Amino acid sequence: NRQGTSGSSYSCSLDALLRRLRAMDTKKDDKFADVLDAVGEFGTFQWRLIVLTFIPNIMSSFFMFADHFVFSEEKPYCNTSWILALDPNLSEAEQMNLTLPRAHNGSFLTCLMYLPMSWDLESIIQFGLNITDPCEDGWIYPESKRRSLISEFDLVCGKEQDKETVQTMFMTGQLIGSLIFGLLSDKLGRYPTILLSLLGLMFFGFGTAFVNTFHQYLFFRFGVSQAVMGYAIVSLTLVTEWLVGEHRAHAVILEHCFFSVGIMFLTGLAYNLPHWRMLFLVGAVPVFPLISYIWILPESPRWLMMKGKVKEAKEVLCYAAEVNKKTIPLNLLEELQLPGKKVTKASVLDFYSNRYLCKVTFVMGCVWLTISYSYFTLSLKLRDFGVSIHFRQAIPGILEVPARLCSIILLEQIGRKWSLAVILIQTAFMCFLTLFLPQGLKSAIILVLVLGQFSLATSVSVVFLYTAELFPTIVRSTGLGLVSLASSGGAILSLTIIGQLPALLPIFLCFISSIAALGFSALLPETQNQLLSDSMEQFSRHSDSSFKKRRTDEDTPDDMSEEVAKNTIRNAQILRMDSNSDSNARPGPRLSRVGDEWLGMRRWIPGHEFQAQPSGRGQDQSCSEASP
């Protein structure tokens, strides 16, 4: 038994080593990866591309969370300025005492007033007014220090518009925008779709400051929400397809850090500006320089190749190489041809007919729904504990920057799949801890809720990157759009049930959904150090077993460098010596055959033959002949 366990551990070690070697060697077969290496792995062009995607992210977060600061709590009173015609020198307190009825506790009623009478001021003071009626001339807000949507459109006394309703409308816009912009990106290209989303930010974001009714405000917020989600999806797709390796993860994480910067920018403006229209005017001004993106933003060469635009793809790559002061060898450009010698076509129906796409979309949809639902639930719970809006936005916004930077270490050390698992476990633990903390420990509960948001902010960046790498180029934006539907659905679900269920049940649902998402994520493959998939040819098989077998066959290299093979053989010889010593210590099955099997690697090294050691059977054994 001990020898069997030892042999099994040796086999696992060798398997892990060979998987790493195969992943390194797979890159040799990808012509596009060779061209990107010639362009420059991370030069001036890539830096400029990342900076271009950072700036709109600040504006996206600004427009996404602006609703939180335009619905300030204000106490209204009926406008009774008619009495000033009798005596314009009346103070505000005297005016309210004469014209507003009082409640039983002595406070003024907010939705009733005394009807005007054709008396003089002395008679009104002496006899008083008795007949009440709803407010006829609008409302005043004497205690208000800011001009908000409530005071602008008198959303009081039966005209209240719940903030959650407005946020639900915004999330509905994101839901529709994710699908529309995802389809447009794969149909028209990354470049025109990003320009369309930036145009939406300019028109709907800046135009919100000039609306005349509350329904117009809802319409403009609906439009800007679609543009925000569209930019988030397509910019991520563009960065994913231009960058390689760890640079891709770094760029996505930094892009989301600037999203947190936008939240802090919004919080600072909202705290200092006294009018909601000024908030949108000042905050939307930085959008207009983004018009320059028409001339400086590049298209994705991977998407151009998939659409048969080989000439345009080569021109973009040559321009990138020129910016990086590199030269692409002519033979590499000539080898860059259409996959399968024909244009690749795909549609949204492939997510139903293709088993791999269907599985990835379902699993990532569950993960996105869980993260979105949990994030908004924890944020709304902070509000229930009386935490101010500026604290609820500023503090998490500040904490999200180091949270996302920490995710870089996770991604590099344990990969995408395990990073997502660790974050979901941490989120489930925070929700579980919240359930059992006594309600009297208000500070402790607030701390746990903030830490939960800290963990969820990290998971957003990880899941964005992971999802983009799982989908092939031809349907990458559409796939991101489909799973974003689940994200918007999770936010709407949180806003819907948070006020309809007992206090702890929404948190319990966060815990359950995190565990479920953790289980589903185990079905996904790892994408770290793997080449991006461009077409769906490798996913065309309908069974998972055949798909895995195909990927294994494709990943097995036909040849390997001599140095790598020597290192592998050297490790195998060491393991064989250990197994031989163990066998001498205690009789049992011979393990020397492990070394013999791994020495039979002559097909991996062209031009070199290695003589295997005798195995006791009187003949050499190759890898294909050896039994497991």
Side-chain angles (χ1 to χ4, degrees):
N1 291 336
R2 183 164 58 89
Q3 287 177 344
T5 304
S6 177
S8 176
S9 63
Y10 296 154
S11 178
C12 293
S13 300
L14 288 173
D15 288 343
L17 172 63
L18 289 178
R19 281 197 302 268
R20 179 176 298 180
L21 295 176
R22 289 167 180 170
M24 295 169 59
D25 195 65
T26 303
K27 188 176 180 181
K28 298 179 181 178
D29 298 327
D30 188 74
K31 304 302 180 183
F32 197 88
D34 294 337
V35 175
L36 287 181
D37 285 341
V39 168
E41 188 172 334
F42 197 79
T44 305
F45 178 84
Q46 287 82 358
W47 264 115
R48 191 177 69 179
L49 175 64
I50 293 175
V51 172
L52 290 177
T53 60
F54 284 172
I55 300 174
N57 264 284
I58 299 176
M59 306 311 306
S60 295
S61 61
F62 176 90
F63 290 123
M64 178 175 287
F65 295 100
D67 284 329
H68 294 285
F69 297 95
V70 297
F71 283 92
S72 59
E73 298 293 337
E74 301 184 40
K75 193 170 184 179
Y77 298 98
C78 292
N79 181 14
T80 57
S81 57
W82 60 269
I83 200 172
L84 295 179
L86 302 178
D87 187 355
N89 295 322
L90 286 175
S91 65
E92 185 177 86
E94 292 173 336
Q95 175 185 342
M96 295 174 65
N97 282 325
L98 294 175
T99 57
L100 296 179
R102 293 178 179 269
H104 296 292
N105 58 3
S107 62
F108 291 108
L109 297 177
T110 58
C111 298
L112 293 177
M113 59 176 286
Y114 288 124
L115 281 177
M117 302 293 291
S118 57
W119 296 352
D120 55 20
L121 183 61
E122 288 76 10
S123 299
I124 293 176
I125 295 175
Q126 181 178 358
F127 299 104
L129 302 174
N130 296 317
I131 303 176
T132 60
D133 200 56
C135 302
E136 295 180 350
D137 301 320
W139 289 262
I140 59 174
Y141 305 85
E143 301 175 5
S144 176
K145 298 179 180 179
R146 299 175 181 275
R147 189 70 169 174
S148 69
L149 279 178
I150 294 178
S151 58
E152 181 80 12
F153 301 117
D154 290 331
L155 304 178
V156 294
C157 298
K159 299 180 182 180
E160 293 90 351
Q161 295 291 334
D162 195 357
K163 187 190 302 182
E164 280 71 22
T165 303
V166 179
Q167 291 181 355
T168 301
M169 176 66 71
F170 189 88
M171 294 303 169
T172 304
Q174 287 190 325
L175 187 148
I176 297 175
S178 61
L179 183 59
I180 293 177
F181 279 89
L183 292 172
L184 288 177
S185 176
D186 287 331
K187 184 69 175 179
L188 303 179
R190 306 349 180 181
Y191 167 75
T193 311
I194 287 181
L195 294 182
L196 184 61
S197 64
L198 294 179
L199 181 62
L201 287 179
M202 295 178 196
F203 178 77
F204 291 105
F206 192 76
T208 305
F210 301 95
V211 298
N212 295 320
T213 65
F214 183 72
H215 291 93
Q216 291 180 6
Y217 176 83
L218 289 179
F219 172 75
F220 275 78
R221 294 296 293 162
F222 180 80
V224 79
S225 64
Q226 296 185 55
V228 166
M229 182 54 70
Y231 179 79
I233 291 174
V234 186
S235 64
L236 174 69
T237 303
L238 184 65
V239 169
T240 300
E241 293 171 356
W242 263 110
L243 300 181
V244 294
E246 70 277 4
H247 301 296
R248 183 187 305 130
H250 296 169
V252 173
I253 299 301
L254 290 176
E255 184 176 345
H256 289 175
C257 287
F258 274 79
F259 191 87
S260 301
V261 171
I263 297 177
M264 292 182 279
F265 171 65
L266 167 65
T267 305
L269 279 182
Y271 184 81
N272 291 283
L273 296 178
H275 202 296
W276 71 273
R277 292 186 188 272
M278 292 179 61
L279 178 65
F280 282 100
L281 285 173
V282 176
V285 166
V287 178
F288 288 94
L290 301 182
I291 297 175
S292 60
Y293 279 35
I294 297 175
W295 299 280
I296 58 178
L297 195 68
E299 180 58 274
S300 166
R302 286 186 179 271
W303 179 86
L304 290 171
M305 290 293 300
M306 289 299 100
K307 291 299 180 178
K309 302 178 180 181
V310 181
K311 181 179 178 181
E312 291 85 343
K314 293 179 179 180
E315 290 176 353
V316 173
L317 290 169
C318 289
Y319 172 73
E322 182 182 355
V323 174
N324 287 340
K325 298 181 180 179
K326 301 283 186 178
T327 302
I328 304 177
L330 184 59
N331 62 321
L332 283 181
L333 285 179
E334 292 177 350
E335 292 176 357
L336 199 62
Q337 299 296 333
L338 287 175
K341 305 299 181 181
K342 61 181 180 180
V343 177
T344 304
K345 295 183 180 179
S347 69
V348 70
L349 297 178
D350 291 316
F351 288 88
Y352 171 77
S353 60
N354 188 286
R355 187 167 184 175
Y356 171 80
L357 293 181
C358 185
K359 181 182 73 172
V360 170
T361 304
F362 173 76
V363 173
M364 295 310 297
C366 293
V367 173
W368 282 52
L369 185 144
T370 296
I371 293 174
S372 178
Y373 170 79
S374 302
Y375 186 89
F376 278 87
T377 299
L378 296 182
S379 178
L380 292 173
K381 281 298 177 182
L382 282 176
R383 184 196 62 182
D384 294 341
F385 279 96
V387 179
S388 67
I389 180 60
H390 294 90
F391 179 89
R392 296 202 310 267
Q393 295 299 323
I395 300 302
I398 295 173
L399 292 178
E400 284 178 5
V401 175
R404 290 189 163 107
L405 293 178
C406 289
S407 65
I408 295 179
I409 302 176
L410 281 177
L411 291 170
E412 291 181 348
Q413 297 298 321
I414 61 178
R416 278 60 162 156
K417 185 175 181 178
W418 281 106
S419 296
L420 180 60
V422 168
I423 294 168
L424 289 175
I425 292 174
Q426 183 179 355
T427 302
F429 174 75
M430 292 299 174
C431 295
F432 184 79
L433 188 61
T434 305
L435 292 174
F436 293 94
L437 282 176
Q439 294 299 310
L441 299 177
K442 181 178 177 181
S443 300
I445 295 177
I446 292 175
L447 177 61
V448 172
L449 292 176
V450 171
L451 291 177
Q453 286 187 299
F454 178 93
S455 174
L456 288 168
T458 307
S459 65
V460 169
S461 299
V462 173
V463 77
F464 255 105
L465 174 65
Y466 195 13
T467 306
E469 292 179 340
L470 285 170
F471 287 114
T473 299
I474 194 65
V475 291
R476 181 166 290 120
S477 291
T478 303
L480 285 170
L482 289 176
V483 296
S484 296
L485 295 177
S487 176
S488 301
I492 295 174
L493 182 64
S494 174
L495 295 171
T496 302
I497 72 174
I498 194 69
Q500 301 179 2
L501 296 179
L504 293 179
L505 190 53
I507 300 294
F508 179 73
L509 292 178
C510 290
F511 171 74
I512 294 298
S513 60
S514 298
I515 297 298
L518 179 63
F520 283 126
S521 64
L523 302 174
L524 298 173
E526 179 59 71
T527 60
Q528 187 180 25
N529 297 325
Q530 299 295 323
L531 296 175
L532 287 180
S533 302
D534 288 326
S535 66
M536 292 190 298
E537 294 178 359
Q538 57 183 321
F539 308 129
S540 59
R541 302 203 177 185
H542 296 287
S543 64
D544 290 341
S545 59
S546 62
F547 167 71
K548 292 179 180 178
K549 181 178 182 301
R550 180 174 181 174
R551 288 297 299 270
T552 302
D553 294 341
E554 291 175 354
D555 290 343
T556 302
D558 294 332
D559 51 21
M560 186 182 293
S561 66
E562 184 174 354
E563 185 64 25
V564 172
K566 288 181 179 179
N567 291 337
T568 306
I569 294 170
R570 189 178 298 112
N571 292 334
Q573 289 175 334
I574 294 174
L575 292 177
R576 187 182 59 177
M577 293 173 61
D578 292 341
S579 64
N580 286 335
S581 63
D582 187 51
S583 179
N584 293 332
R586 179 176 180 177
R590 290 176 300 172
L591 298 179
S592 61
R593 197 175 152 201
V594 174
D596 298 341
E597 293 172 6
W598 290 104
L599 285 173
M601 298 176 63
R602 57 178 60 91
R603 74 181 184 88
W604 280 16
I605 309 171
H608 295 272
E609 296 289 337
F610 291 90
Q611 182 66 35
Q613 299 295 328
S615 63
R617 296 193 303 176
Q619 59 182 359
D620 296 344
Q621 298 180 8
S622 65
C623 289
S624 60
E625 296 171 341
S627 60

